[in-house]
Amino acid sequence: MKRYILYIFLVIIAVGAITIICLSSNDTAKVEEQRPQVLSMTASVDIPDEMTFAGEKIVFDRYDFRERMDRELNSFTYFHSTTLLLFKRANRIFPMIEPILKQQGVPDDIKYLAVIESSLDHRAVSPARAAGLWQFIPGTAQGSGLEVSLEVDERYHIGKSTVAACRYLKDAYRKYGSWSAAALSYNGGQGRITNEFSNQQTDKALDLWLVDETTRYYFRMLAIKTIFENPSRYGFILRDDQLYKPMDFKEVNVSSAIPSLVSFAKDNGITYAQLKDFNSWLRDTKLTNKSGKTYTILIPTKESLYYRKGEKTKVHDERWTTKQ
């Protein structure tokens, strides 16, 4: 009897062990099946219920508004290196263009149009020959009061091109009565937007059926504004010293010819490359200036040219950085 009981006991132990092994094997297989195949996870960001841009409110409850915003907000959130660079450049560029927008009576949010147009690169050139911070094509630039020639191209002039962009946008705003329509016309052209308002029998710019680039345009501005106003929420963490420092300049007014810009740069204590970097509107190695027009050339101060250890970088918007 004792031997029989022992036999039953051993059978029970064996069955239990086999069951545990089988369950463990199944659990392991299930875990392996569910294990991520990548080292990091990507989460879709939440879309705000509503926001205001240039004084105009937009609610993201309609399917197309919500899905357009979703596309652009997720795109900028996960386009890491490019979006980081926008913050760094903005610390130098926004202090230069914001006072002009204010003086011209244009909403401050319009600065995000420049972000979308050129990624805040004042030397940017598109395949369509649009150039500068605000991406003017030659004809539109000249119609907006900018000089475009072989020696001088003011599309690359940050201050003058900003004034010209304001002039264009204010004209469009007077025509359409909304900054959203004005912004769309900046990309698609006033002629096209005017025709589509008539053809599609609507007076609301965001209801228009347009080419994909123009359709995305406004929502890209909304998305980048959202990220710029709360960068840490979207995973962008920067220190003060990682932003590009604002530059200080000495202004040199010139009303005569400059036979050699190389010599001019050397005489003013900078390199030719530095002269061209901050005065990219000078397109040649000389300035003939037969008309005797007065040009203002920016000469960066020696102190501005260098990052010095321990020097505190002036931060344009405290929301952009984290304090340590």
Side-chain angles (χ1 to χ4, degrees), residues 46-62:
D46 291 331
I47 305 305
D49 293 329
E50 61 183 46
M51 67 178 293
T52 300
F53 188 91
E56 298 172 10
K57 180 179 177 181
I58 180 169
V59 180
F60 300 109
D61 57 352
R62 204 173 82 179

Side-chain angles (χ1 to χ4, degrees), residues 85-200:
L85 187 58
L86 295 178
F87 282 106
K88 296 183 178 192
R89 289 175 174 170
N91 199 57
R92 177 174 297 165
I93 299 297
F94 277 5
M96 301 173 73
I97 66 175
E98 285 180 354
I100 299 173
L101 297 176
K102 184 177 181 180
Q103 188 273 330
Q104 292 290 317
V106 171
D108 185 71
D109 282 345
I110 295 298
K111 65 192 178 189
Y112 296 110
L113 188 150
V115 178
I116 300 307
E117 282 288 347
S118 63
S119 295
L120 297 179
D121 179 2
H122 64 284
R123 294 173 295 177
V125 181
S126 79
R129 295 197 307 139
L133 193 67
W134 297 91
Q135 289 291 280
F136 279 102
I137 60 174
T140 305
Q142 291 169 321
S144 298
L146 297 177
E147 180 179 350
V148 180
S149 67
L150 293 177
E151 288 190 356
V152 173
D153 191 338
E154 292 179 334
R155 294 179 297 166
Y156 298 93
H157 192 295
I158 293 176
K160 291 184 178 181
S161 67
T162 302
V163 171
C166 288
R167 185 178 295 120
Y168 181 97
L169 287 161
K170 286 192 295 183
D171 177 66
Y173 179 78
R174 285 190 293 268
K175 179 179 294 186
Y176 303 121
S178 74
W179 290 109
S180 55
L184 291 178
S185 76
Y186 196 90
N187 178 261
Q190 291 187 27
R192 178 183 301 174
I193 298 302
T194 299
N195 288 337
E196 294 305 331
F197 272 135
S198 175
N199 294 340
Q200 299 181 35

Side-chain angles (χ1 to χ4, degrees), residues 92 96 158 246-252 270 274 277-279 297-302 304-305:
R92 177 174 297 165
M96 301 173 73
I158 293 176
M247 305 295 292
D248 293 321
F249 299 99
K250 176 182 70 173
E251 295 185 350
V252 177
I270 58 175
Q274 290 163 352
D277 191 11
F278 297 109
N279 301 273
I297 298 176
L298 299 179
I299 306 297
T301 63
K302 186 175 181 179
S304 291
L305 292 175

Side-chain angles (χ1 to χ4, degrees), residues 220-277:
R220 295 187 73 217
M221 288 190 288
L222 298 181
I224 201 62
K225 177 188 175 182
T226 300
I227 293 174
F228 262 61
E229 291 184 344
N230 198 348
S232 61
R233 182 179 183 185
Y234 299 96
F236 295 98
I237 308 298
L238 297 99
R239 299 191 312 269
D240 294 6
D241 63 338
Q242 292 173 328
L243 298 173
Y244 295 164
K245 60 187 293 187
M247 305 295 292
D248 293 321
F249 299 99
K250 176 182 70 173
E251 295 185 350
V252 177
N253 293 321
V254 175
S255 302
S256 57
I258 302 178
S260 169
L261 288 173
V262 174
S263 297
F264 179 85
K266 188 175 181 180
D267 292 342
N268 281 276
I270 58 175
T271 67
Y272 176 66
Q274 290 163 352
L275 175 71
K276 297 286 276 190
D277 191 11

